[in-house]
Amino acid sequence: MTDADVMALDAADPLRGFRDDFCLPEGLIYLDGNSLGPLTVAGRARLALVVEQEWGQSLIRGWNDHDWFGAPLRVGDRIAELVGADPGEVIVADSTSANLYKLAVAAMQARPGRKVVLSEPGDFPTDLYMLEGAIRTLGDGRRLELRPSSGIESALSPDVAVLVLCHAHYKTSAIRDMKRLTAAAHAVGALVIWDLSHSVGVLEVDLNGCEADLAVGCGYKYLNGGPGAPAFLFVARRHQDSLVSPLSGWMGHAAPFRFEDRYSPAGGIARFACGTPPVLGVSALECGVELSVRAGMPAIRAKAAALTELFISIVEAGPAAGLLELATPRDALSRGGHVSFRHPDGYAIVQALIARNVIGDFRDPDILRFGFSPLPLSFAQSARAAHILGEVVSSGDYDHPDYRRRAAVT
Ligand SMILES: *Cc1c(COP(=O)(O)O)cnc(C)c1O
C-alpha cells in the first residue's frame, strides 16, 4: 500500500467532508472514538446556545419554548433511524447501565416462571453487574448463567427468561448474529436484550428486521454525544404496554404534571423514562446523532470496514507483524469499528503511542484497542497510525518506566 494508494482512498471517500464537522487537535490521530467520540462542531455551538440563551435567558420557560421536554423522544426517534427501529420505539434516558437494569427487571417480570438470565462472560462488565443487581432485587430463586458465545444457543431452555448480549464485543470487536440468536431465544420463549454500545453509529443494526425485543446503547461512543452523554433504550412496540419499568419515576408517568400520588405508567416508550432529562447532554447528543443520520449507516459501516482493513493490513505487513497478535475477526464484516491486538506490554505500548500523538486504549490484561470512528477519521490517519504502531512495537521504545505507570482511567 503506497502513500498514493492511501490518498486515493481518501479522495474516493464519500464521507470525507464529515471530518470538518469535528473539533480535533491538530496533529492528533484519535483512535478512541469508540470510548469517547470527539467534540462535534455543531455540538460545541449548540451547547453554547443552550447555556447562554435557553438556560440563561429562557430559564424554566425552556421546557416548553425550546422543547426540552420533548427532547428524549425527539432524539430517540433519530437514533431509531440508525438502528432499524420505528418512531416511538427509542427514548434517550439515563445511562446504559441504568437502562439495562430497567429492561432486565421488566423482562424478568414479564417471564415470571423462568429463573435464568443468560449472558456471556468476558464482555463489558457493567452489564453483568447490573444483571446481578436486577436478580438480587427480584430474588425468588433467579440466577445468572454465563456461557461463552459458542455455547449460548445450546444453553437456551424453557427456564431462560431473558438473554442479554452485546452486539459487538468491546474487546475483540466480534459481532454476534442478532437475527439468529434472537430467533433461537424466541424459539424457547425467552426475551432478548441487545447492548448496542459498540455498534450504534458504526454498524448497520436492524432491530425490527431481527424481531428484536429490547435494546440499550451508549451515547458517548460512536454517536459522539460527549462525555457522560445520556444513553438510550429500545422497546419493540409490541412489548411496550406489557412491560413496566422498575424505576417508575415521574417522567415515565402518564401525566407527570398532574402530580398524582399513585404511579400510572405512560403509554408507549415514554414509560421507560425515569427522572428529568439532562438537557445539556441531550442537546450535544442530538448534534452527534444528526451527523450519523445525515451520513447514513451503510456508508458509515462500509468506511469502518475499510479503515480497519487498511490498519490491520499495514500493521501485519510491517515490522511488528510477528510481535502483535490480532484479537479481532479477520473478516471485516464479522468485526465492528475497532481493532484489537494482544501484546504482553500492551499498556506501555499504548502510552508510548499517546506520547506520539496516537490515542488508542488498553484493556486488561493485554489488549491494545484502536477505534475507527468513520466520520472524523481519514485513511491517511489510519495508515499513519499503523506505521507508528509498527515502529513503537518493533523498536522496543515503549520499554520505559514512564509508560508503565497506570492512571485511574485506562
Ligand atoms: C460503554 C458501554 C457501557 C457504558 O455504560 P455506562 O452506564 O454509560 O457507563 C455499557 N455497556 C457496554 C457494552 C459498553 O460498551
Side-chain angles (χ1 to χ4, degrees):
M1 183 68 59
T2 65
D3 287 354
D5 294 334
V6 174
M7 279 172 64
L9 288 173
D10 275 319
D13 173 13
L15 301 181
R16 66 184 180 281
F18 282 92
R19 297 210 297 274
D20 298 334
D21 289 301
F22 293 87
C23 313
L24 277 161
E26 200 60 43
L28 182 74
I29 302 182
Y30 189 66
L31 303 182
D32 221 355
N34 58 320
S35 218
L36 173 63
L39 173 63
T40 62
V41 172
R44 184 175 59 184
R46 180 75 182 278
L47 282 174
L49 182 86
V50 173
V51 168
E52 285 161 25
Q53 297 295 318
E54 299 188 4
W55 179 16
Q57 300 298 315
S58 300
L59 292 144
I60 193 84
R61 292 167 290 191
W63 288 105
N64 291 316
D65 293 356
H66 305 297
D67 197 27
W68 294 345
F69 189 69
L73 291 174
R74 181 177 75 236
V75 181
D77 281 349
R78 300 299 268 171
I79 294 173
E81 294 181 44
L82 302 176
V83 295
D86 290 331
E89 290 187 315
V90 174
I91 187 168
V92 168
D94 304 310
S95 62
T96 308
S97 303
N99 287 336
L100 186 71
Y101 179 87
K102 291 188 283 188
L103 294 187
V105 170
M108 282 191 272
Q109 287 179 324
R111 293 287 182 276
R114 295 166 174 245
K115 299 302 182 201
V116 173
V117 175
L118 181 62
S119 192
E120 191 187 333
D123 213 319
F124 200 76
T126 198
D127 294 30
L128 299 181
Y129 303 160
M130 296 313 289
L131 294 177
E132 274 185 40
I135 286 171
R136 218 166 27 241
T137 303
L138 292 185
D140 197 19
R142 290 169 209 276
R143 62 184 191 277
L144 179 60
E145 281 189 14
L146 302 181
R147 293 281 181 281
S149 63
S150 57
I152 288 287
E153 278 167 281
S154 55
L156 284 166
S157 76
D159 206 24
V160 175
V162 54
L163 169 64
V164 182
L165 290 174
C166 293
H167 184 215
H169 196 285
Y170 84 113
K171 274 187 184 166
T172 68
S173 192
I175 301 173
R176 304 288 174 244
D177 187 335
M178 182 181 284
K179 190 162 198 158
R180 200 186 74 223
L181 290 162
T182 300
H186 288 174
V188 299
L191 294 165
V192 187
I193 304 176
W194 285 101
D195 187 328
L196 306 178
S197 292
H198 281 283
S199 46
V200 64
V202 73
L203 297 182
E204 287 181 274
V205 178
D206 189 8
L207 289 171
N208 283 332
C210 296
E211 293 182 41
D213 303 297
L214 305 163
V216 298
C218 184
Y220 52 77
K221 292 173 177 159
Y222 294 105
L223 291 182
N224 305 306
F232 67 91
L233 64 83
F234 158 87
V235 178
R237 180 91 62 197
R238 65 184 180 283
H239 293 309
Q240 288 180 357
D241 292 334
S242 55
L243 297 184
V244 180
S245 173
L247 300 184
S248 41
W250 72 307
M251 282 293 155
H253 192 280
F257 290 93
R258 260 195 242 134
F259 298 104
E260 294 165 353
D261 285 345
R262 297 299 302 266
Y263 180 72
S264 157
I269 194 74
R271 66 172 55 188
F272 295 95
C274 176
T276 305
V279 173
L280 299 178
V282 182
S283 301
L285 174 63
E286 184 165 30
C287 297
V289 169
E290 286 306 320
L291 289 178
S292 291
V293 171
R294 185 144 56 79
M297 287 316 303
I300 291 175
R301 199 281 173 262
K303 186 171 173 187
L307 285 168
T308 53
E309 194 69 35
L310 180 68
F311 184 76
I312 293 171
S313 68
I314 295 177
V315 171
E316 293 197 326
L323 303 170
L324 293 169
E325 181 198 338
L326 185 66
T328 293
R330 209 163 269 289
D331 166 26
L333 296 183
S334 303
R335 65 174 179 254
H338 62 278
V339 171
S340 294
F341 287 101
R342 289 202 164 86
H343 189 287
D345 289 316
Y347 184 82
I349 294 169
V350 168
Q351 294 309 307
L353 289 172
I354 293 171
R356 286 162 179 76
N357 253 347
V358 177
I359 298 188
D361 64 22
F362 169 75
R363 288 291 174 262
D364 251 342
D366 59 356
I367 294 274
L368 298 88
R369 198 174 65 153
F370 304 97
F372 292 86
S373 284
L375 297 181
L377 276 175
S378 67
F379 288 95
Q381 289 177 309
S382 173
R384 180 146 174 71
H387 288 301
I388 295 173
L389 174 62
E391 268 162 44
V392 165
V393 171
S394 61
S395 66
D397 283 354
Y398 59 85
D399 191 11
H400 189 281
D402 284 355
Y403 296 145
R404 296 190 184 275
R405 214 168 292 128
R406 296 270 180 128
V409 176
T410 63

